[in-house]
Amino acid sequence: QVQLQESGPGLVKPSESLSLTCTVSGGSINDIYWSWIRQAPGKGLEWLGYVHSNGEFSSNPSLRSRVSMSIDTSKNQVSLNLNSVTAADTAVYYCTKGSTGQYDPWGQGTLVTVSS
Amino acid sequence: EVVLTQSPGTLSLSPGERATLSCRASRSVRSRFFDWYQQRPGQPPRLLIYSAFTRAAGIPDRFSGSGSGTDFTLTINRLEPEDFAVYYCQQYDSQPPYTFGQGTKVEMK
């Protein structure tokens, strides 16, 4: 079965960029939508966006132009990039299979703290 | 943006009891674009119910979803110890953002 594993720096400085990778194992990354969702400490879930191997991409309007996502089919990886981060971007970041809903499965998540 | 409001914030129950969780949308949501998730402490969310009524693979039949329009309900019959967790509703009708409720915590009394 498909398994997802997020990775990336646990600490990012304010105004810098946050870059995370989700490695997909147990299945192909092709022709599937992949999403990123985050959860601030003690808070609820926030959808960030989705990406497809054909290049289709959609993001949360609240993030404006700060977010981008991509897929590397040769590495079976999905990437998230978030620019100009602030403390409000401190969260556990999850990758999951799906575009708009029915998210399943999920990775274990990776905590990113924005602090100087 | 569709705002989902879950109630109650916390539900204190004993094993074996029934839990009834509510999710109200700020405008009508088509049932096929409405899901429920369970999140245990330290774990990622897990898909429980999709399209308002359909249990995801491997989900026990003590979990059931109902509702339509702006009012949706998750019912857990005969609570098991592993059911004490936080539950989120989610809608993905129309345009982004696809939103989640703030969560209902089911805690052991």
Side-chain angles (χ1 to χ4, degrees), chain A residues 18-23 29 34 36 51 57 67-72 77-82 95:
Chain A
L18 176 164
S19 294
L20 298 176
T21 297
C22 173
T23 301
I29 203 169
W34 304 93
W36 288 93
V51 64
F57 167 68
V67 66
S68 62
M69 299 177 189
S70 62
I71 288 181
D72 186 334
Q77 290 179 336
V78 186
S79 295
L80 167 72
N81 193 73
L82 185 64
C95 66

Side-chain angles (χ1 to χ4, degrees), chain A residues 37 39 43-47 50 58-61 94 99-104 106-109, chain B residues 32 35 37 39 42-47 50-51 88 90-92 96-102:
Chain A
I37 292 168
Q39 186 171 35
K43 301 297 184 183
L45 301 165
E46 180 183 22
W47 175 77
Y50 67 70
S58 178
S59 65
N60 192 320
Y94 296 102
S99 56
T100 59
Q102 297 186 31
Y103 298 117
D104 181 49
W106 296 58
Q108 284 298 308
Chain B
R32 64 183 179 273
D35 301 339
Y37 294 85
Q39 187 175 32
Q43 294 294 313
R46 175 174 72 145
L47 179 65
Y50 63 92
S51 300
Y88 294 96
Q90 191 226 347
Q91 69 78 31
Y92 44 107
Y98 309 113
T99 52
F100 294 84
Q102 83 280 17

Side-chain angles (χ1 to χ4, degrees), chain B residues 8-100:
Chain B
T10 302
L11 202 48
S12 297
L13 296 167
S14 300
E17 291 192 300
R18 173 185 294 178
T20 303
L21 289 67
S22 174
C23 182
R24 176 162 290 178
S26 58
R27 62 172 172 80
S28 185
V29 172
R30 288 171 287 181
S31 297
R32 64 183 179 273
F33 301 120
F34 190 91
D35 301 339
W36 288 95
Y37 294 85
Q38 175 194 66
Q39 187 175 32
R40 294 170 176 153
Q43 294 294 313
R46 175 174 72 145
L47 179 65
L48 276 184
I49 302 282
Y50 63 92
S51 300
F53 317 108
T54 306
R55 282 186 300 277
I59 302 302
D61 61 7
R62 63 180 181 273
F63 290 92
S64 63
S66 62
S68 63
T70 60
D71 292 292
F72 295 85
T73 300
L74 174 69
T75 302
I76 313 170
N77 287 312
R78 304 178 306 279
L79 280 164
E80 297 284 344
E82 61 268 26
D83 299 337
F84 292 93
V86 180
Y87 293 83
Y88 294 96
C89 55
Q90 191 226 347
Q91 69 78 31
Y92 44 107
D93 199 353
S94 72
Q95 299 301 309
Y98 309 113
T99 52
F100 294 84

